[in-house]
Amino acid sequence: MNSVAVPILAVLGPAVASAVEIEVAERLGAMAAEAGWVVLTGGGSGVMEAASRGAVEAGGMTVGILPTAGPTENYPNPWVQIAVFTGAGSARNAFNVLSATLCVAVGGGPGTLSEIALALKNGKDVWCWRSWSIEPPPRTFPKLPRVFDDPDLLYGALEDRLS
């Protein structure tokens, strides 16, 4: 079986995010929740917290795949409803993307890049807004990230995908 009972949107991005990244992540979380999707993040601050907040405020469910073995000062953020403590550090990025139906990166640093790479390696759909632009080597890959510059185009694409 190639599908899950409830689709999952993984919102990937930095713990330290700009105001516009926060705004976009929050809206993505709300849109997913309104469409009945679960919102999954790394459970920290920044983009992760914003996406979770958007989902909860829209009546949705959130999951945080956490790098720590238990609660800490930084994990989970207050909007995570289901906390999965892995004790795996950055290796938890694999759990994030492997659990997702669709991955959307909003901004991001090296951790986000690792999630994008892991998702692509595993054939997941990856969308990027103001995140990493990835140019493949000169051979064909089955999936590449879909890159958005305009948040309204991202929202429109997500609306289509969520329905």
Side-chain angles (χ1 to χ4, degrees):
M1 175 182 261
N2 291 332
S3 65
V4 293
V6 177
I8 298 170
L9 175 67
V11 180
L12 319 172
V16 178
S18 70
V20 70
E21 290 169 339
I22 298 290
E23 180 182 327
V24 168
E26 190 168 346
R27 179 145 180 213
L28 295 174
M31 290 176 69
E34 289 165 358
W37 286 45
V38 170
V39 173
L40 180 146
T41 71
S45 59
V47 162
M48 299 170 279
E49 183 170 353
S52 298
R53 179 176 51 250
V56 169
E57 289 181 348
M61 176 63 62
T62 62
V63 175
I65 307 292
L66 307 158
T68 57
T72 68
E73 183 179 341
N74 298 316
Y75 291 100
N77 72 61
W79 301 97
V80 168
Q81 295 169 316
I82 299 172
V84 180
F85 296 99
T86 67
S90 293
R92 67 84 145 78
N93 292 349
F95 305 124
N96 290 351
V97 300
L98 292 174
S99 300
T101 306
L102 170 65
C103 299
V104 178
V106 176
T112 304
L113 179 58
S114 75
E115 288 173 307
I116 292 168
L118 288 166
L120 293 173
K121 185 174 181 176
N122 286 282
K124 298 290 183 170
D125 288 332
V126 178
W127 296 358
C128 298
W129 181 78
R130 292 194 182 172
S131 189
W132 294 85
S133 294
I134 300 171
E135 193 124 346
R139 58 182 172 182
T140 304
F141 283 87
K143 292 203 182 243
L144 291 174
R146 186 170 174 192
V147 179
F148 297 86
D149 292 323
D150 182 340
D152 290 328
L153 294 176
L154 172 62
Y155 302 145
L158 185 59
E159 195 170 74
D160 289 345
R161 178 66 186 263
L162 295 173
S163 57

Short mmCIF file of all heavy atoms in Angstrom, two decimals, residues 68-141:
data_model
loop_
_atom_site.label_atom_id
_atom_site.label_comp_id
_atom_site.label_asym_id
_atom_site.label_seq_id
_atom_site.Cartn_x
_atom_site.Cartn_y
_atom_site.Cartn_z
N THR A 68 15.51 15.30 20.47
CA THR A 68 15.87 15.02 21.87
C THR A 68 15.20 13.74 22.37
O THR A 68 14.23 13.26 21.79
CB THR A 68 15.44 16.21 22.75
OG1 THR A 68 14.03 16.41 22.59
CG2 THR A 68 16.18 17.48 22.37
N ALA A 69 15.71 13.23 23.48
CA ALA A 69 15.15 12.02 24.09
C ALA A 69 13.98 12.33 25.02
O ALA A 69 13.28 11.43 25.47
CB ALA A 69 16.24 11.26 24.86
N GLY A 70 13.78 13.59 25.33
CA GLY A 70 12.70 14.03 26.20
C GLY A 70 12.55 15.53 26.09
O GLY A 70 13.33 16.19 25.38
N PRO A 71 11.57 16.10 26.77
CA PRO A 71 11.35 17.54 26.69
C PRO A 71 12.58 18.33 27.15
O PRO A 71 13.27 17.92 28.09
CB PRO A 71 10.18 17.78 27.64
CG PRO A 71 9.51 16.46 27.79
CD PRO A 71 10.60 15.44 27.64
N THR A 72 12.84 19.42 26.46
CA THR A 72 13.92 20.34 26.83
C THR A 72 13.37 21.76 26.75
O THR A 72 12.20 21.97 26.39
CB THR A 72 15.14 20.23 25.89
OG1 THR A 72 14.76 20.71 24.59
CG2 THR A 72 15.65 18.80 25.80
N GLU A 73 14.22 22.72 27.01
CA GLU A 73 13.80 24.12 26.92
C GLU A 73 13.34 24.48 25.51
O GLU A 73 12.45 25.30 25.33
CB GLU A 73 14.97 25.03 27.33
CG GLU A 73 14.62 26.49 27.35
CD GLU A 73 15.79 27.35 27.79
OE1 GLU A 73 16.73 26.83 28.42
OE2 GLU A 73 15.76 28.55 27.50
N ASN A 74 13.93 23.87 24.48
CA ASN A 74 13.62 24.21 23.09
C ASN A 74 12.65 23.24 22.40
O ASN A 74 12.15 23.55 21.32
CB ASN A 74 14.90 24.28 22.27
CG ASN A 74 15.82 25.37 22.79
OD1 ASN A 74 15.39 26.47 23.08
ND2 ASN A 74 17.10 25.05 22.90
N TYR A 75 12.44 22.08 22.97
CA TYR A 75 11.61 21.05 22.32
C TYR A 75 10.66 20.41 23.32
O TYR A 75 11.09 20.10 24.41
CB TYR A 75 12.49 19.94 21.73
CG TYR A 75 13.31 20.39 20.55
CD1 TYR A 75 14.65 20.73 20.70
CD2 TYR A 75 12.75 20.49 19.28
CE1 TYR A 75 15.41 21.14 19.62
CE2 TYR A 75 13.51 20.90 18.19
CZ TYR A 75 14.83 21.22 18.37
OH TYR A 75 15.58 21.63 17.30
N PRO A 76 9.42 20.19 22.93
CA PRO A 76 8.77 20.64 21.72
C PRO A 76 8.24 22.05 21.87
O PRO A 76 8.12 22.57 22.99
CB PRO A 76 7.60 19.66 21.56
CG PRO A 76 7.23 19.31 22.97
CD PRO A 76 8.54 19.31 23.73
N ASN A 77 7.90 22.68 20.74
CA ASN A 77 7.25 23.99 20.83
C ASN A 77 5.83 23.77 21.37
O ASN A 77 5.32 22.64 21.35
CB ASN A 77 7.29 24.72 19.48
CG ASN A 77 6.36 24.12 18.44
OD1 ASN A 77 5.14 24.07 18.63
ND2 ASN A 77 6.92 23.67 17.34
N PRO A 78 5.19 24.82 21.87
CA PRO A 78 3.89 24.64 22.53
C PRO A 78 2.75 24.21 21.61
O PRO A 78 1.67 23.87 22.09
CB PRO A 78 3.61 26.01 23.16
CG PRO A 78 4.50 26.96 22.46
CD PRO A 78 5.69 26.19 21.97
N TRP A 79 2.96 24.22 20.31
CA TRP A 79 1.90 23.87 19.37
C TRP A 79 1.97 22.42 18.90
O TRP A 79 1.12 21.97 18.14
CB TRP A 79 1.94 24.83 18.18
CG TRP A 79 1.77 26.25 18.63
CD1 TRP A 79 2.78 27.16 18.86
CD2 TRP A 79 0.56 26.91 18.95
NE1 TRP A 79 2.25 28.34 19.30
CE2 TRP A 79 0.88 28.23 19.37
CE3 TRP A 79 -0.78 26.53 18.93
CZ2 TRP A 79 -0.09 29.15 19.75
CZ3 TRP A 79 -1.73 27.47 19.30
CH2 TRP A 79 -1.38 28.75 19.70
N VAL A 80 2.98 21.69 19.35
CA VAL A 80 3.09 20.27 18.99
C VAL A 80 2.10 19.49 19.86
O VAL A 80 2.18 19.53 21.08
CB VAL A 80 4.53 19.75 19.20
CG1 VAL A 80 4.59 18.23 19.11
CG2 VAL A 80 5.47 20.39 18.19
N GLN A 81 1.19 18.77 19.20
CA GLN A 81 0.21 17.99 19.93
C GLN A 81 0.68 16.56 20.19
O GLN A 81 0.36 15.98 21.22
CB GLN A 81 -1.12 17.98 19.17
CG GLN A 81 -1.73 19.38 19.09
CD GLN A 81 -2.89 19.44 18.13
OE1 GLN A 81 -2.81 18.91 17.03
NE2 GLN A 81 -3.96 20.08 18.55
N ILE A 82 1.40 16.00 19.24
CA ILE A 82 1.97 14.67 19.42
C ILE A 82 3.47 14.81 19.28
O ILE A 82 3.98 15.15 18.21
CB ILE A 82 1.44 13.67 18.37
CG1 ILE A 82 -0.07 13.52 18.51
CG2 ILE A 82 2.15 12.32 18.52
CD1 ILE A 82 -0.71 12.71 17.41
N ALA A 83 4.18 14.60 20.38
CA ALA A 83 5.64 14.73 20.40
C ALA A 83 6.27 13.35 20.31
O ALA A 83 5.97 12.46 21.12
CB ALA A 83 6.08 15.42 21.68
N VAL A 84 7.13 13.17 19.30
CA VAL A 84 7.85 11.92 19.13
C VAL A 84 9.31 12.20 19.47
O VAL A 84 10.03 12.82 18.68
CB VAL A 84 7.70 11.37 17.69
CG1 VAL A 84 8.48 10.08 17.54
CG2 VAL A 84 6.23 11.19 17.33
N PHE A 85 9.72 11.79 20.64
CA PHE A 85 11.09 12.01 21.11
C PHE A 85 11.97 10.89 20.57
O PHE A 85 11.77 9.73 20.89
CB PHE A 85 11.13 12.05 22.64
CG PHE A 85 10.37 13.20 23.22
CD1 PHE A 85 9.08 13.02 23.70
CD2 PHE A 85 10.92 14.46 23.25
CE1 PHE A 85 8.36 14.09 24.23
CE2 PHE A 85 10.21 15.54 23.77
CZ PHE A 85 8.93 15.35 24.25
N THR A 86 12.93 11.25 19.73
CA THR A 86 13.75 10.22 19.08
C THR A 86 15.11 10.04 19.74
O THR A 86 15.69 8.96 19.64
CB THR A 86 13.99 10.57 17.60
OG1 THR A 86 14.82 11.74 17.53
CG2 THR A 86 12.69 10.79 16.86
N GLY A 87 15.66 11.08 20.36
CA GLY A 87 17.02 11.01 20.86
C GLY A 87 18.03 10.85 19.74
O GLY A 87 19.19 10.52 19.97
N ALA A 88 17.61 11.11 18.51
CA ALA A 88 18.43 10.84 17.33
C ALA A 88 19.15 12.06 16.78
O ALA A 88 19.84 11.95 15.77
CB ALA A 88 17.56 10.23 16.23
N GLY A 89 19.00 13.22 17.43
CA GLY A 89 19.65 14.42 16.90
C GLY A 89 19.19 14.71 15.49
O GLY A 89 18.02 14.54 15.16
N SER A 90 20.12 15.11 14.63
CA SER A 90 19.78 15.45 13.25
C SER A 90 19.32 14.25 12.43
O SER A 90 18.68 14.41 11.40
CB SER A 90 20.97 16.10 12.55
OG SER A 90 21.23 17.36 13.13
N ALA A 91 19.62 13.05 12.89
CA ALA A 91 19.16 11.87 12.17
C ALA A 91 17.64 11.78 12.15
O ALA A 91 17.07 11.10 11.30
CB ALA A 91 19.75 10.61 12.79
N ARG A 92 16.98 12.52 13.03
CA ARG A 92 15.53 12.53 13.04
C ARG A 92 14.97 13.12 11.76
O ARG A 92 13.81 12.93 11.42
CB ARG A 92 14.97 13.24 14.26
CG ARG A 92 15.20 14.74 14.39
CD ARG A 92 14.19 15.60 13.66
NE ARG A 92 13.86 16.84 14.30
CZ ARG A 92 14.61 17.93 14.29
NH1 ARG A 92 15.80 17.93 13.76
NH2 ARG A 92 14.17 19.04 14.85
N ASN A 93 15.80 13.85 10.99
CA ASN A 93 15.34 14.41 9.73
C ASN A 93 14.82 13.33 8.78
O ASN A 93 13.89 13.57 8.02
CB ASN A 93 16.46 15.21 9.05
CG ASN A 93 16.80 16.46 9.82
OD1 ASN A 93 16.09 16.87 10.74
ND2 ASN A 93 17.90 17.10 9.46
N ALA A 94 15.41 12.16 8.84
CA ALA A 94 14.94 11.06 8.00
C ALA A 94 13.52 10.67 8.38
O ALA A 94 12.68 10.41 7.51
CB ALA A 94 15.87 9.86 8.12
N PHE A 95 13.22 10.62 9.68
CA PHE A 95 11.87 10.27 10.12
C PHE A 95 10.86 11.31 9.65
O PHE A 95 9.74 10.97 9.28
CB PHE A 95 11.80 10.12 11.65
CG PHE A 95 12.81 9.15 12.21
CD1 PHE A 95 13.69 9.55 13.18
CD2 PHE A 95 12.87 7.85 11.75
CE1 PHE A 95 14.63 8.66 13.71
CE2 PHE A 95 13.78 6.94 12.27
CZ PHE A 95 14.67 7.36 13.25
N ASN A 96 11.26 12.58 9.69
CA ASN A 96 10.37 13.66 9.25
C ASN A 96 9.92 13.43 7.81
O ASN A 96 8.73 13.41 7.51
CB ASN A 96 11.06 15.02 9.32
CG ASN A 96 11.30 15.49 10.73
OD1 ASN A 96 10.82 14.91 11.69
ND2 ASN A 96 12.07 16.55 10.87
N VAL A 97 10.88 13.28 6.92
CA VAL A 97 10.53 13.22 5.50
C VAL A 97 9.95 11.87 5.09
O VAL A 97 9.09 11.81 4.22
CB VAL A 97 11.72 13.62 4.60
CG1 VAL A 97 12.16 15.04 4.92
CG2 VAL A 97 12.87 12.67 4.69
N LEU A 98 10.40 10.79 5.71
CA LEU A 98 9.86 9.48 5.35
C LEU A 98 8.40 9.34 5.77
O LEU A 98 7.66 8.55 5.20
CB LEU A 98 10.70 8.36 5.97
CG LEU A 98 12.10 8.23 5.39
CD1 LEU A 98 12.90 7.18 6.16
CD2 LEU A 98 12.06 7.88 3.91
N SER A 99 7.97 10.11 6.76
CA SER A 99 6.59 10.06 7.23
C SER A 99 5.66 10.93 6.41
O SER A 99 4.44 10.85 6.56
CB SER A 99 6.52 10.52 8.70
OG SER A 99 7.31 9.67 9.50
N ALA A 100 6.19 11.78 5.55
CA ALA A 100 5.40 12.79 4.85
C ALA A 100 4.82 12.32 3.53
O ALA A 100 5.40 11.51 2.82
CB ALA A 100 6.28 14.01 4.60
N THR A 101 3.67 12.89 3.22
CA THR A 101 3.07 12.75 1.90
C THR A 101 3.67 13.80 0.97
O THR A 101 3.96 13.52 -0.19
CB THR A 101 1.54 12.95 1.99
OG1 THR A 101 1.01 12.05 2.96
CG2 THR A 101 0.87 12.74 0.65
N LEU A 102 3.87 15.01 1.49
CA LEU A 102 4.45 16.13 0.77
C LEU A 102 5.35 16.90 1.73
O LEU A 102 4.97 17.11 2.88
CB LEU A 102 3.34 17.06 0.24
CG LEU A 102 3.76 18.40 -0.35
CD1 LEU A 102 4.60 18.22 -1.62
CD2 LEU A 102 2.52 19.26 -0.64
N CYS A 103 6.53 17.31 1.26
CA CYS A 103 7.45 18.12 2.06
C CYS A 103 7.52 19.52 1.46
O CYS A 103 7.75 19.66 0.25
CB CYS A 103 8.86 17.51 2.05
SG CYS A 103 8.96 15.85 2.72
N VAL A 104 7.36 20.54 2.30
CA VAL A 104 7.50 21.93 1.84
C VAL A 104 8.56 22.58 2.71
O VAL A 104 8.42 22.65 3.94
CB VAL A 104 6.18 22.71 1.93
CG1 VAL A 104 6.40 24.16 1.50
CG2 VAL A 104 5.11 22.07 1.06
N ALA A 105 9.63 23.05 2.07
CA ALA A 105 10.71 23.74 2.77
C ALA A 105 10.48 25.25 2.67
O ALA A 105 10.28 25.77 1.58
CB ALA A 105 12.06 23.38 2.16
N VAL A 106 10.51 25.90 3.82
CA VAL A 106 10.36 27.36 3.89
C VAL A 106 11.67 27.89 4.47
O VAL A 106 11.96 27.68 5.64
CB VAL A 106 9.17 27.75 4.79
CG1 VAL A 106 9.08 29.26 4.94
CG2 VAL A 106 7.87 27.17 4.23
N GLY A 107 12.47 28.54 3.62
CA GLY A 107 13.78 28.99 4.08
C GLY A 107 14.65 27.79 4.42
O GLY A 107 14.50 26.72 3.85
N GLY A 108 15.55 27.98 5.38
CA GLY A 108 16.29 26.84 5.88
C GLY A 108 17.79 26.92 5.76
O GLY A 108 18.33 27.65 4.95
N GLY A 109 18.42 26.15 6.60
CA GLY A 109 19.87 26.04 6.62
C GLY A 109 20.28 24.63 6.23
O GLY A 109 19.54 23.92 5.54
N PRO A 110 21.44 24.19 6.72
CA PRO A 110 21.94 22.85 6.37
C PRO A 110 21.00 21.72 6.81
O PRO A 110 20.90 20.71 6.11
CB PRO A 110 23.28 22.76 7.09
CG PRO A 110 23.70 24.17 7.30
CD PRO A 110 22.43 24.96 7.48
N GLY A 111 20.32 21.87 7.93
CA GLY A 111 19.39 20.83 8.37
C GLY A 111 18.24 20.68 7.38
O GLY A 111 17.84 19.56 7.05
N THR A 112 17.72 21.80 6.90
CA THR A 112 16.65 21.76 5.91
C THR A 112 17.17 21.14 4.61
O THR A 112 16.47 20.33 3.98
CB THR A 112 16.11 23.18 5.64
OG1 THR A 112 15.69 23.76 6.89
CG2 THR A 112 14.95 23.16 4.68
N LEU A 113 18.38 21.48 4.23
CA LEU A 113 18.97 20.89 3.02
C LEU A 113 19.07 19.38 3.16
O LEU A 113 18.78 18.64 2.21
CB LEU A 113 20.33 21.51 2.73
CG LEU A 113 21.07 20.96 1.50
CD1 LEU A 113 20.24 21.15 0.24
CD2 LEU A 113 22.43 21.64 1.38
N SER A 114 19.44 18.90 4.34
CA SER A 114 19.54 17.46 4.53
C SER A 114 18.17 16.80 4.39
O SER A 114 18.04 15.71 3.82
CB SER A 114 20.18 17.11 5.88
OG SER A 114 19.29 17.31 6.95
N GLU A 115 17.13 17.47 4.88
CA GLU A 115 15.78 16.93 4.75
C GLU A 115 15.34 16.91 3.28
O GLU A 115 14.73 15.93 2.83
CB GLU A 115 14.79 17.76 5.58
CG GLU A 115 14.96 17.53 7.07
CD GLU A 115 14.11 18.46 7.90
OE1 GLU A 115 14.18 19.70 7.71
OE2 GLU A 115 13.39 17.95 8.78
N ILE A 116 15.65 17.97 2.54
CA ILE A 116 15.32 18.01 1.12
C ILE A 116 15.99 16.85 0.40
O ILE A 116 15.36 16.12 -0.37
CB ILE A 116 15.73 19.36 0.50
CG1 ILE A 116 14.86 20.49 1.06
CG2 ILE A 116 15.66 19.31 -1.03
CD1 ILE A 116 15.37 21.89 0.72
N ALA A 117 17.28 16.65 0.66
CA ALA A 117 18.03 15.57 0.00
C ALA A 117 17.47 14.20 0.37
O ALA A 117 17.29 13.34 -0.51
CB ALA A 117 19.51 15.67 0.37
N LEU A 118 17.18 13.99 1.63
CA LEU A 118 16.62 12.71 2.06
C LEU A 118 15.25 12.45 1.44
O LEU A 118 14.94 11.33 1.03
CB LEU A 118 16.51 12.65 3.58
CG LEU A 118 17.82 12.52 4.35
CD1 LEU A 118 17.60 12.83 5.82
CD2 LEU A 118 18.40 11.12 4.18
N ALA A 119 14.45 13.49 1.35
CA ALA A 119 13.13 13.35 0.75
C ALA A 119 13.25 12.99 -0.73
O ALA A 119 12.58 12.07 -1.22
CB ALA A 119 12.32 14.63 0.93
N LEU A 120 14.11 13.70 -1.44
CA LEU A 120 14.30 13.41 -2.87
C LEU A 120 14.85 12.00 -3.08
O LEU A 120 14.41 11.28 -3.98
CB LEU A 120 15.23 14.44 -3.51
CG LEU A 120 14.68 15.86 -3.60
CD1 LEU A 120 15.77 16.81 -4.09
CD2 LEU A 120 13.46 15.91 -4.51
N LYS A 121 15.79 11.61 -2.25
CA LYS A 121 16.38 10.28 -2.36
C LYS A 121 15.32 9.19 -2.20
O LYS A 121 15.43 8.11 -2.77
CB LYS A 121 17.48 10.11 -1.32
CG LYS A 121 18.22 8.80 -1.43
CD LYS A 121 19.38 8.73 -0.50
CE LYS A 121 20.10 7.39 -0.69
NZ LYS A 121 21.28 7.27 0.11
N ASN A 122 14.29 9.50 -1.43
CA ASN A 122 13.23 8.54 -1.17
C ASN A 122 11.98 8.77 -2.03
O ASN A 122 10.91 8.23 -1.73
CB ASN A 122 12.88 8.54 0.32
CG ASN A 122 13.96 7.84 1.12
OD1 ASN A 122 14.01 6.62 1.13
ND2 ASN A 122 14.85 8.60 1.73
N GLY A 123 12.12 9.57 -3.08
CA GLY A 123 11.03 9.76 -4.03
C GLY A 123 9.88 10.60 -3.55
O GLY A 123 8.77 10.53 -4.11
N LYS A 124 10.09 11.41 -2.52
CA LYS A 124 9.03 12.27 -2.00
C LYS A 124 8.92 13.54 -2.84
O LYS A 124 9.90 14.02 -3.41
CB LYS A 124 9.33 12.68 -0.54
CG LYS A 124 9.40 11.53 0.42
CD LYS A 124 8.03 10.92 0.66
CE LYS A 124 8.10 9.80 1.68
NZ LYS A 124 6.78 9.37 2.09
N ASP A 125 7.72 14.10 -2.89
CA ASP A 125 7.54 15.41 -3.51
C ASP A 125 8.09 16.46 -2.57
O ASP A 125 7.79 16.44 -1.36
CB ASP A 125 6.06 15.69 -3.77
CG ASP A 125 5.51 14.85 -4.92
OD1 ASP A 125 6.29 14.48 -5.82
OD2 ASP A 125 4.30 14.57 -4.91
N VAL A 126 8.88 17.37 -3.10
CA VAL A 126 9.49 18.44 -2.31
C VAL A 126 9.21 19.76 -3.00
O VAL A 126 9.48 19.91 -4.20
CB VAL A 126 11.02 18.27 -2.16
CG1 VAL A 126 11.62 19.43 -1.37
CG2 VAL A 126 11.35 16.94 -1.51
N TRP A 127 8.68 20.71 -2.24
CA TRP A 127 8.47 22.06 -2.74
C TRP A 127 9.31 23.00 -1.88
O TRP A 127 9.41 22.81 -0.65
CB TRP A 127 7.01 22.46 -2.63
CG TRP A 127 6.07 21.65 -3.47
CD1 TRP A 127 6.39 20.64 -4.35
CD2 TRP A 127 4.66 21.77 -3.51
NE1 TRP A 127 5.26 20.14 -4.93
CE2 TRP A 127 4.18 20.81 -4.44
CE3 TRP A 127 3.74 22.59 -2.86
CZ2 TRP A 127 2.82 20.67 -4.72
CZ3 TRP A 127 2.39 22.45 -3.15
CH2 TRP A 127 1.95 21.50 -4.07
N CYS A 128 9.89 24.01 -2.49
CA CYS A 128 10.76 24.95 -1.79
C CYS A 128 10.30 26.38 -2.00
O CYS A 128 10.09 26.80 -3.15
CB CYS A 128 12.20 24.82 -2.28
SG CYS A 128 12.95 23.21 -1.99
N TRP A 129 10.16 27.12 -0.92
CA TRP A 129 9.89 28.55 -1.01
C TRP A 129 11.02 29.28 -0.26
O TRP A 129 11.21 29.06 0.93
CB TRP A 129 8.54 28.92 -0.39
CG TRP A 129 8.27 30.38 -0.51
CD1 TRP A 129 7.83 31.05 -1.62
CD2 TRP A 129 8.46 31.36 0.50
NE1 TRP A 129 7.75 32.39 -1.34
CE2 TRP A 129 8.13 32.61 -0.06
CE3 TRP A 129 8.91 31.31 1.81
CZ2 TRP A 129 8.21 33.80 0.66
CZ3 TRP A 129 8.99 32.49 2.53
CH2 TRP A 129 8.64 33.72 1.96
N ARG A 130 11.74 30.09 -1.01
CA ARG A 130 12.90 30.81 -0.47
C ARG A 130 13.82 29.87 0.30
O ARG A 130 14.32 30.18 1.38
CB ARG A 130 12.47 31.99 0.39
CG ARG A 130 11.83 33.09 -0.41
CD ARG A 130 11.71 34.36 0.37
NE ARG A 130 11.04 35.37 -0.44
CZ ARG A 130 10.65 36.54 0.01
NH1 ARG A 130 10.85 36.84 1.27
NH2 ARG A 130 10.08 37.39 -0.78
N SER A 131 14.00 28.71 -0.26
CA SER A 131 14.85 27.70 0.35
C SER A 131 15.97 27.39 -0.62
O SER A 131 16.29 28.20 -1.49
CB SER A 131 14.03 26.45 0.68
OG SER A 131 14.77 25.53 1.45
N TRP A 132 16.53 26.21 -0.52
CA TRP A 132 17.64 25.79 -1.35
C TRP A 132 17.20 25.57 -2.79
O TRP A 132 16.14 25.01 -3.04
CB TRP A 132 18.22 24.50 -0.80
CG TRP A 132 18.84 24.67 0.53
CD1 TRP A 132 18.21 24.62 1.74
CD2 TRP A 132 20.21 24.94 0.82
NE1 TRP A 132 19.10 24.83 2.75
CE2 TRP A 132 20.35 25.02 2.21
CE3 TRP A 132 21.34 25.11 0.03
CZ2 TRP A 132 21.55 25.29 2.83
CZ3 TRP A 132 22.55 25.36 0.64
CH2 TRP A 132 22.64 25.45 2.02
N SER A 133 18.01 26.04 -3.72
CA SER A 133 17.82 25.73 -5.13
C SER A 133 18.83 24.64 -5.46
O SER A 133 20.03 24.81 -5.26
CB SER A 133 18.10 26.95 -6.00
OG SER A 133 17.14 27.94 -5.75
N ILE A 134 18.32 23.54 -5.95
CA ILE A 134 19.18 22.39 -6.17
C ILE A 134 19.25 22.10 -7.66
O ILE A 134 18.23 21.92 -8.32
CB ILE A 134 18.66 21.17 -5.40
CG1 ILE A 134 18.64 21.49 -3.91
CG2 ILE A 134 19.51 19.94 -5.70
CD1 ILE A 134 17.95 20.47 -3.06
N GLU A 135 20.43 22.08 -8.17
CA GLU A 135 20.67 21.75 -9.56
C GLU A 135 21.32 20.37 -9.61
O GLU A 135 22.38 20.18 -9.03
CB GLU A 135 21.59 22.79 -10.18
CG GLU A 135 21.61 22.69 -11.65
CD GLU A 135 21.23 23.99 -12.32
OE1 GLU A 135 20.70 24.90 -11.67
OE2 GLU A 135 21.50 24.08 -13.49
N PRO A 136 20.68 19.43 -10.29
CA PRO A 136 21.23 18.07 -10.30
C PRO A 136 22.43 17.94 -11.22
O PRO A 136 22.63 18.76 -12.11
CB PRO A 136 20.06 17.24 -10.82
CG PRO A 136 19.31 18.17 -11.70
CD PRO A 136 19.44 19.53 -11.04
N PRO A 137 23.21 16.91 -11.01
CA PRO A 137 24.28 16.60 -11.96
C PRO A 137 23.66 16.31 -13.33
O PRO A 137 22.46 16.12 -13.43
CB PRO A 137 24.92 15.33 -11.38
CG PRO A 137 24.44 15.23 -10.00
CD PRO A 137 23.14 15.98 -9.91
N PRO A 138 24.47 16.26 -14.38
CA PRO A 138 23.92 16.09 -15.72
C PRO A 138 23.42 14.66 -15.99
O PRO A 138 23.99 13.92 -16.77
CB PRO A 138 25.09 16.45 -16.64
CG PRO A 138 26.29 16.23 -15.81
CD PRO A 138 25.90 16.49 -14.40
N ARG A 139 22.39 14.29 -15.27
CA ARG A 139 21.68 13.04 -15.53
C ARG A 139 20.26 13.23 -15.01
O ARG A 139 19.98 14.15 -14.27
CB ARG A 139 22.36 11.84 -14.90
CG ARG A 139 22.52 11.94 -13.41
CD ARG A 139 23.23 10.75 -12.87
NE ARG A 139 23.50 11.04 -11.47
CZ ARG A 139 24.15 10.25 -10.68
NH1 ARG A 139 24.60 9.12 -11.11
NH2 ARG A 139 24.36 10.56 -9.43
N THR A 140 19.39 12.36 -15.35
CA THR A 140 17.98 12.53 -15.01
C THR A 140 17.69 11.93 -13.64
O THR A 140 18.09 10.82 -13.34
CB THR A 140 17.11 11.83 -16.07
OG1 THR A 140 17.45 12.36 -17.35
CG2 THR A 140 15.65 12.08 -15.81
N PHE A 141 16.96 12.70 -12.83
CA PHE A 141 16.48 12.23 -11.55
C PHE A 141 14.97 12.16 -11.62
O PHE A 141 14.34 12.99 -12.27
CB PHE A 141 16.90 13.19 -10.42
CG PHE A 141 18.34 13.04 -10.04
CD1 PHE A 141 19.32 13.75 -10.73
CD2 PHE A 141 18.73 12.20 -9.03
CE1 PHE A 141 20.65 13.61 -10.40
CE2 PHE A 141 20.05 12.06 -8.69
CZ PHE A 141 21.02 12.76 -9.38
#
